[in-house]
């Protein structure tokens, strides 16, 4: 047996680490304790090995730069598999391979794969310590970049093993970069074995196994079986001038505005209002004893899109990244500064682009990759909600669905009730973004923003959402928003970002039973006088009407597009969804 296999007090962890080490044959095994000393040492090692480049430490204390392999810059949905016993359980929206066949294939690739490398044992806790919703995982990885990122994104090290105790109930994650070859890239989930195997990549969502793999794809199974929801959602708290706090959750597809919305800083018009961040990407939500839905953020950091982030669009994010942050695939200036398209100030006269090639403002290519990211600890967030540490979570009053849609979809409407809201979420359409490899800008259905993240049959997932209503006496109100509608000149109709506070105010006041609405074709909509437009340059009631308009012809097309997904899911599609579709058609 390899020396250093049995370093924890948990015999199940020790046995499994020994087994995987024997198979992957690393030169050394490092058990991560999550201490500051360890972080310093590993960072120095990553710098010495060229994985990280220190930024100017005066300007960017504790910040580092990382460049990925150019073939490895985003999630890869075509390489992502759900290995349930039957193909039907994974459903038509997931890639499937039988568990035994996938395991054999990947263990073959992993045999001896860590020779000459260190295998890091990364215990991590998703959720506040002591929370009934919190879960432990252990990731074995040969990537020091993954270790340092997991140290930001999760409660990593001793705290996780303490929560686990001597139990057997932990997620087993195995990750090896192999030779970072797209031909040998697989992200495979084994829900029945509580196991994830990821090979051939070193990019965030593919390899930070606590995030999309565990907290969404595996956790969606746990939620289905145990009566809760694992969702691709931000969570924020709105505090009004009277000190009242209302928490809302929001599901927008990848790179469609969750981080920005979660960190919204209200405009001057909203003096006395505050928005607190609970989470920016993932929510685990469970009915509480008082009949409300409670959410925790299982993560401790933000793996956010860099391009477009600046002091105006997202000042809180700019605060978050000031220290102890890892930047990946942005541009690097000669004086150890970072840059990306849409950052404050003029572009640097010269820098190295995300590929490491010389870049000037005349260059045609982008300096930062469109999916370049920052990885920053949430403790840096000046508007971090103190409730983020509460094991009980926060009570959710509203769920907001959204998509990136140039046309058809109005700025905001409220679903008539829970079942209608589930239909609204199930039919989200959104233009694809750089967060996943493939064509960008194609409208596709992305139900509940979970298309790439639901670990089982999407039809059963809709049924689970409908079922949840029975366990929530006082359910959140459900809304739909679209920040991305454009006018005839190809300009965004709605100013977005901090001005989204105006939409959020209406939503929160609806939940508090104070704001008016009238019945529209799609749901409840604000009248112009229900909506605070004061201080909004160039956006008046007429413009609002344009942003809110529903065109019956466009909507007939929309309903037909929805049918494509429904037809794929037909065998598992709950009848309530069909009924809602019929009701919508009748209203149109
Ligand atoms: P993931 O981390 O991939 O899950 O993405 P996300 O949903 O957190 O998206 P994020 O907040 O990082 O936003 C992605 C991009 O959407 C940003 O670069 C912005 O350009 C754009 N965006 C966000 N909010 C708005 C908005 O209110 N209006 C407009 N027009 N664009 C926005
Ligand atoms: C997303 O793509 O939704 C992300 C980034 O949040 S990743 O962690 O790569 O999944
Ligand atoms: Mn995401």
């Amino acid at each position: 047996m390899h020396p250093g296999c049995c370093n924890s007090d948990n015999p199940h962890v020790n046995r499994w680490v020994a087994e995987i080490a024997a198979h992957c044959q690393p030169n050394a095994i490092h058990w991560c304790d999550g201490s500051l000393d360890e972080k310093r040492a590993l960072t120095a090692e990553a710098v010495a090995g060229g994985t990280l480049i220190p930024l100017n430490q005066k300007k960017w204390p504790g910040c580092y730069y990382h460049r990925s392999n150019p073939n490895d810059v985003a999630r890869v949905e075509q390489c992502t598999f759900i290995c349930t016993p039957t193909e039907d359980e994974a459903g038509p929206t997931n890639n499937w391979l039988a568990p035994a066949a996938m395991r054999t294939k990947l263990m073959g690739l992993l045999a001896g794969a860590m020779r000459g490398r260190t295998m890091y044992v990364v215990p991590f806790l998703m959720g506040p310590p002591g929370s009934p919703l919190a879960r432990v995982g252990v990731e074995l990885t040969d990537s020091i970049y993954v270790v340092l990122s997991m140290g930001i994104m999760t409660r990593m090290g001793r705290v996780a093993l303490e929560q686990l105790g001597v139990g057997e109930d932990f997620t087993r994650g195995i990750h090896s970069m192999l030779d970072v070859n797209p031909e040998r890239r697989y992200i495979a989930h084994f829900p029945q074995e509580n196991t994830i195997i990821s090979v051939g990549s070193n990019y965030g969502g593919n390899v930070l196994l606590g995030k999309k793999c565990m907290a969404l794809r595996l956790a969606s199974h746990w939620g289905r079986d145990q009566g809760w929801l694992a969702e691709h959602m931000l969570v924020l708290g709105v505090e009004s001038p009277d000190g009242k706090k209302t928490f809302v959750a929001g599901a927008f597809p990848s790179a469609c505005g969750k981080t920005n919305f979660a960190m919204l800083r209200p405009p001057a018009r909203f003096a006395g209002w505050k928005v607190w961040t609970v989470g920016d990407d993932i929510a685990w939500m469970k009915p509480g004893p008082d009949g409300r839905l409670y959410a925790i953020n299982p993560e401790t950091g933000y793996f956010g899109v860099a391009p477009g982030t600046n002091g105006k669009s997202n000042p809180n994010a700019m605060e978050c990244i000031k220290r102890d942050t890892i930047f990946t695939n942005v541009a690097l200036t000669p004086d150890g500064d970072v840059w990306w398209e849409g950052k404050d100030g003029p572009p640097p006269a010269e820098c190295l682009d995300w590929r490491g090639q010389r870049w000037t403002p005349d260059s045609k290519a982008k300096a930062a990759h469109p999916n370049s990211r920052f990885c920053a600890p949430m403790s840096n967030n000046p508007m971090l909600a103190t409730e983020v540490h509460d094991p009980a979570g926060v009570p959710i009053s509203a769920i907001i669905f959204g998509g990136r849609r140039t046309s058809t979809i109005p700025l905001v409407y409220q679903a008539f009730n829970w079942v209608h809201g589930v239909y609204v979420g199930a039919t989200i359409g959104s233009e694809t973004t750089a967060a996943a490899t493939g064509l960008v800008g194609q409208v596709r259905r992305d139900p509940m923003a979970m298309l790439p993240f639901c670990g089982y049959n999407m039809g059963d997932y809709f049924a689970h959402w409908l079922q949840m209503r029975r366990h929530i006496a006082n359910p959140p109100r459900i809304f739909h928003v679209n920040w991305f509608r454009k006018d005839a000149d190809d300009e965004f109709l709605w100013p977005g970002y901090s001005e989204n506070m105006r939409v959020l105010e209406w939503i929160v006041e609806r939940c508090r039973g104070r704001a008016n609405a009238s019945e529209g074709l799609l749901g409840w909509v604000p009248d112009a006088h229900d909506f605070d437009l004061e201080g909004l340059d160039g956006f008046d009631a007429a413009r609002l009407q344009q942003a809110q308009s529903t065109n019956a012809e466009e909507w007939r097309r929309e309903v037909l597009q929805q049918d494509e997904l429904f037809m794929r899911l037909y065998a598992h599609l709950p009848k309530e969804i069909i009924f809602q579709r019929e009701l919508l058609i009748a209203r149109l």
Side-chain angles (χ1 to χ4, degrees):
M1 206 190 292
H2 201 289
C5 281
C6 303
N7 251 357
S8 84
D9 295 332
N10 183 304
H12 310 288
V13 174
N14 289 346
R15 201 176 316 129
W16 174 67
V17 171
E19 180 201 323
I20 303 305
H23 188 76
C24 298
Q25 310 219 332
N27 271 21
I29 299 179
H30 176 104
W31 287 71
C32 297
D33 61 15
S35 67
L36 209 57
D37 281 346
E38 174 181 78
K39 183 182 173 181
R40 280 197 204 102
L42 292 179
T43 303
E45 203 177 311
V47 170
T51 302
L52 293 184
I53 298 173
L55 295 183
N56 178 338
Q57 293 296 301
K58 279 225 173 68
K59 200 167 168 199
W60 298 94
C63 294
Y64 294 84
Y65 179 79
H66 174 76
R67 218 175 256 133
S68 79
N69 188 312
N71 76 31
D72 185 36
V73 294
R75 284 182 296 100
V76 278
E77 294 176 5
Q78 67 278 17
C79 309
T80 302
F81 285 79
I82 303 295
C83 303
T84 42
T86 66
E87 184 166 8
D88 192 54
E89 186 179 351
T93 59
N94 283 310
N95 301 310
W96 177 84
L97 201 64
M102 183 59 102
R103 184 171 272 279
T104 303
K105 182 192 192 97
L106 297 187
M107 289 316 265
L109 291 173
L110 283 166
M114 296 189 187
R115 271 185 210 131
R117 301 179 185 177
T118 297
M119 181 172 93
Y120 299 93
V121 181
V122 184
F124 60 94
L125 174 63
M126 303 303 286
S131 170
L133 270 170
R135 287 276 183 153
V136 173
V138 180
E139 177 167 354
L140 309 181
T141 177
D142 57 10
S143 163
I144 198 167
Y145 170 76
V146 165
V147 178
L148 291 166
S149 304
M150 288 293 283
I152 296 171
M153 297 302 296
T154 72
R155 296 167 171 91
M156 192 254 267
R158 199 159 291 152
V159 58
L161 289 176
E162 272 164 17
Q163 173 104 4
L164 179 61
V166 294
E168 216 175 337
D169 186 16
F170 65 96
T171 298
R172 291 151 178 81
I174 307 170
H175 167 243
S176 174
M177 296 185 279
L178 306 181
D179 55 351
V180 200
N181 183 336
E183 306 275 306
R184 284 184 284 282
R185 185 167 295 159
Y186 294 94
I187 299 97
H189 306 72
F190 304 85
Q192 279 71 11
E193 296 153 49
N194 200 359
T195 295
I196 304 152
I197 305 180
S198 168
V199 296
S201 171
N202 199 32
Y203 166 77
N206 299 332
V207 299
L208 306 178
L209 299 186
K211 197 173 180 54
K212 297 306 177 19
C213 300
M214 174 179 166
L216 290 179
R217 297 196 190 97
L218 293 187
S220 60
H221 279 256
W222 308 331
R224 177 194 63 185
D225 297 343
Q226 299 159 12
W228 51 280
L229 294 165
E231 299 299 328
H232 190 204
M233 288 184 183
L234 70 100
V235 177
L236 60 80
V238 183
E239 185 179 333
S240 43
D242 56 9
K244 220 174 144 188
K245 259 191 200 176
T246 301
F247 292 94
V248 315
F252 314 153
S254 299
C256 290
K258 287 183 301 301
T259 302
N260 276 273
F261 196 51
M263 296 183 184
L264 187 156
R265 198 176 282 183
R269 164 78 183 140
F270 286 78
W273 290 75
K274 292 190 181 104
V275 172
W276 301 95
T277 312
V278 178
D280 81 325
D281 199 48
I282 295 175
W284 286 352
M285 304 194 289
K286 192 180 180 178
D290 62 354
R292 305 187 69 186
L293 191 61
Y294 282 79
I296 63 161
N297 170 13
E299 303 189 284
T300 56
Y302 310 119
F303 186 63
V305 177
T309 306
N310 60 54
K312 189 160 182 293
S313 67
N314 196 343
N316 289 340
M318 294 306 287
E319 288 296 319
C320 290
I321 64 176
K322 272 187 174 162
R323 66 193 79 84
D324 303 317
T325 295
I326 300 174
F327 296 91
T328 299
N329 290 342
V330 300
L332 180 65
T333 73
D335 52 348
D337 202 343
V338 281
W339 193 77
W340 49 79
E341 279 72 17
K343 193 166 177 268
D344 301 284
E350 183 190 336
C351 63
L352 293 177
D353 70 10
W354 66 276
R355 287 189 177 85
Q357 281 157 11
R358 186 170 175 274
W359 184 95
T360 67
D362 296 329
S363 301
K364 288 229 160 50
K366 288 203 162 29
H369 187 277
N371 192 41
S372 53
R373 300 245 167 191
F374 53 79
C375 181
M378 69 178 184
S379 55
N380 283 355
N381 185 348
M383 296 308 288
L384 184 67
T386 53
E387 293 87 347
V388 75
H389 305 291
D390 188 340
V394 297
I396 298 297
S397 297
I399 290 174
I400 308 174
F401 292 116
R404 181 184 286 268
R405 289 297 295 274
T406 308
S407 73
T408 315
I409 315 293
L411 177 62
V412 61
Y413 62 94
Q414 178 183 0
F416 293 118
N417 52 45
W418 181 266
V419 180
H420 180 228
V422 172
Y423 171 80
V424 168
T427 52
I428 293 181
S430 196
E431 289 160 24
T432 49
T433 65
T437 54
L439 280 179
V440 167
Q442 306 288 103
V443 174
R444 69 169 185 183
R445 294 301 123 188
D446 191 346
M448 280 81 172
M450 283 286 278
L451 181 71
F453 308 120
C454 181
Y456 61 98
N457 193 301
M458 192 59 92
D460 296 341
Y461 170 75
F462 297 161
H464 177 55
W465 262 85
L466 293 166
Q467 275 284 330
M468 284 298 294
R469 175 66 181 88
R470 303 185 186 187
H471 310 292
I472 319 170
N474 187 1
R477 309 290 188 262
I478 299 181
F479 299 81
H480 192 285
V481 300
N482 176 24
W483 311 141
F484 300 93
R485 198 173 193 175
K486 288 186 170 173
D487 63 14
D489 301 325
D490 209 34
E491 298 286 336
F492 287 118
L493 269 165
W494 176 247
Y497 301 101
S498 68
E499 303 299 352
N500 293 335
M501 183 65 217
R502 297 168 192 269
V503 176
L504 186 56
E505 183 202 18
W506 181 72
I507 287 172
V508 165
E509 296 295 3
R510 283 295 290 168
C511 296
R512 294 174 177 179
R514 295 204 293 224
N516 273 316
S518 50
E519 195 177 330
L521 291 179
L522 306 175
W524 296 105
V525 289
D527 294 325
H529 52 83
D530 300 325
F531 211 83
D532 189 341
L533 294 179
E534 217 173 292
L536 253 192
D537 266 359
F539 193 96
D540 53 15
R543 193 95 169 144
L544 177 66
Q545 201 174 18
Q546 206 185 339
Q548 281 293 78
S549 63
T550 41
N551 176 310
E553 199 44 55
E554 283 180 342
W555 268 90
R556 280 186 206 109
R557 270 201 301 276
E558 181 72 12
V559 172
L560 288 175
Q561 282 176 22
Q562 296 173 359
D563 282 351
E564 288 171 31
L565 176 71
F566 291 166
M567 253 145 27
R568 287 172 76 198
L569 296 177
Y570 192 76
H572 290 249
L573 196 65
K575 59 184 183 314
E576 290 90 333
I577 299 286
I578 308 286
F579 295 158
Q580 288 297 329
R581 174 188 178 279
E582 296 299 312
L583 290 171
L584 172 60
I585 292 170
R587 290 197 301 273
L588 293 173

